Amino acid sequence: MPPRHFLTLADIDAETLESLLRRAAELRALHHDGSLHEPLRGRVLGMIFEKSSTRTRVSFEAGMAQLGGSALFLSPRDTQLGRGEPIEDTARVLSGMVDAVMIRTFDHSTVERFAGASSVPVINGLTDDHHPCQLLADLQTWQAHRGELQGRTVTWMGDGNNMCRSWMQAAEMMDFRLAIGAPSAYAPEDLADYPNSRHETDPQAAVEGADLVVTDVWASMGMEDERQTRLEDFAAYQVNEALMAAAGEQALFMHCLPAHRGEEVTADVIDGPRSVVWEEAENRLHAQKALLEWLVTPRR
């Protein structure tokens, strides 16, 4: 039986997504109760990092430990990938030694090629095109505060990056509306493929009626040379108190972190009462534990 992979949200169906979110909530409750739950005892997760990380590394490593397994951190300096070994060769070797592989890298084709040659599940910890693990945590956090997303409105404030694309996929799977607030030059190129998503150049129009406002840094890793231009282009799209007021009194705020206060978000919003950012960050742990359970334990 071929392994299950999690490279984008589209790799699972809506029923599986809902099941993972329910399980993540259960695992969070078990963790907070101090209950021991070790279904992955003796299992090993290989973690390949070509991009630096705080939340991705700690959540996967701690998650495997709490599930009774272990995790191996592998940077380009630690593997032959950094010396030019073909991705497929590394995939074949590692999948004979570990039970799953998580990859955090730049080019999405890297995880696709790795998964194509792997005999164990492969998880996308982040690529330039998708960030599905973050969406699991975001959706779990939303449900804990507001219940179902169906029929709701989410505003993504920022460029059509990996987070935006994962939110676009989520909107189709969970049947909510996504408004993308960004200058025309930064809108997702494949927007037409996602009928539940729309683009707005006017930031006020983008947040009108929003139940949730989400943003990210304006210049991600690898875009350092674009930083100044992006600061100027996105100045009007900062999530501040005025923008949150336009969204409505019940709107929540999320950010995948790290955040640059005073740029994409102001301190009074991210540290304010409508921010669920810290719970969102913790839920990376619980959502990924649910994912690891589903991917690694034997299928029935």
Side-chain angles (χ1 to χ4, degrees):
M1 187 178 297
R4 294 183 286 212
H5 301 303
F6 188 64
L7 309 186
T8 80
L9 282 180
D11 285 333
I12 59 176
D13 57 26
E15 183 179 355
T16 301
L17 175 58
E18 289 284 5
S19 176
L20 287 173
L21 295 177
R22 286 193 299 271
R23 185 57 179 154
E26 292 169 358
L27 290 171
R28 179 185 171 99
L30 285 173
H31 178 71
H32 283 220
D33 287 343
S35 301
L36 195 64
H37 176 65
E38 298 184 331
L40 300 188
R41 179 171 289 277
R43 303 301 186 96
V44 179
L45 173 69
M47 306 188 302
I48 298 174
F49 284 87
E50 295 187 325
K51 274 190 172 183
S52 59
S53 167
T54 298
R55 282 151 291 276
T56 299
R57 178 177 178 180
V58 174
S59 56
F60 272 108
E61 198 162 331
M64 280 299 292
Q66 292 171 16
L67 292 171
S70 58
L72 300 173
F73 173 81
L74 302 168
S75 74
R77 296 186 303 274
D78 303 318
T79 68
Q80 294 298 328
L81 274 176
R83 298 179 61 193
E85 181 174 57
I87 292 167
E88 291 80 4
D89 290 1
T90 299
R92 294 182 185 103
V93 170
L94 283 185
S95 59
M97 300 179 180
V98 301
D99 299 284
V101 177
M102 186 283 298
I103 306 175
R104 182 178 170 93
T105 187
F106 294 89
D107 194 337
H108 191 73
S109 67
T110 298
V111 296
E112 292 177 327
R113 289 174 58 192
F114 197 104
S118 176
S119 59
V120 299
V122 175
I123 301 168
N124 174 9
L126 175 142
T127 65
D128 288 346
D129 291 348
H130 295 275
H131 199 356
C133 289
Q134 181 67 53
L135 258 290
L136 292 181
D138 292 358
L139 296 172
Q140 177 191 350
T141 306
W142 168 266
Q143 288 187 345
H145 285 266
R146 296 288 193 266
E148 295 305 312
L149 258 170
Q150 185 177 18
R152 301 279 198 156
T153 298
V154 175
T155 295
W156 169 261
M157 197 63 68
D159 71 345
N161 65 5
N162 49 8
M163 280 296 302
C164 179
R165 186 163 288 103
S166 290
W167 272 107
M168 290 160 65
Q169 289 186 333
E172 300 305 316
M173 296 175 72
M174 304 191 77
D175 195 24
F176 61 86
R177 297 176 296 274
L178 180 69
I180 300 165
S184 296
Y186 296 93
E189 294 179 357
D190 54 349
L191 188 62
D193 297 333
Y194 298 89
N196 282 2
S197 299
R198 75 178 198 274
H199 172 234
E200 295 281 357
T201 56
D202 179 355
Q204 296 288 324
V207 298
E208 184 176 357
D211 299 290
L212 172 64
V213 179
V214 192
T215 193
D216 191 7
V217 295
W218 291 335
S220 300
M221 282 182 285
M223 297 180 178
E224 287 78 9
D225 58 339
E226 302 176 29
R227 175 176 168 76
Q228 191 54 46
T229 299
R230 284 171 170 263
L231 287 177
E232 295 169 4
D233 291 347
F234 280 97
Y237 297 85
Q238 181 188 72
V239 181
N240 51 36
E241 284 289 0
L243 206 65
M244 290 299 292
E249 293 182 0
Q250 298 303 310
L252 296 178
F253 173 75
M254 289 188 192
H255 192 305
C256 60
L257 301 177
H260 295 165
R261 289 168 175 79
E263 293 182 11
E264 76 276 2
V265 63
T266 54
D268 52 2
V269 170
I270 193 170
D271 299 317
R274 290 198 279 177
S275 171
V276 291
V277 165
W278 316 117
E279 182 179 341
E280 176 191 6
E282 180 191 333
N283 282 340
R284 287 291 302 276
L285 170 68
H286 310 300
Q288 286 159 193
K289 285 168 68 175
L291 178 65
L292 287 163
E293 247 190 0
W294 179 70
L295 288 172
V296 177
T297 51
R299 296 188 226 183
R300 297 172 182 168

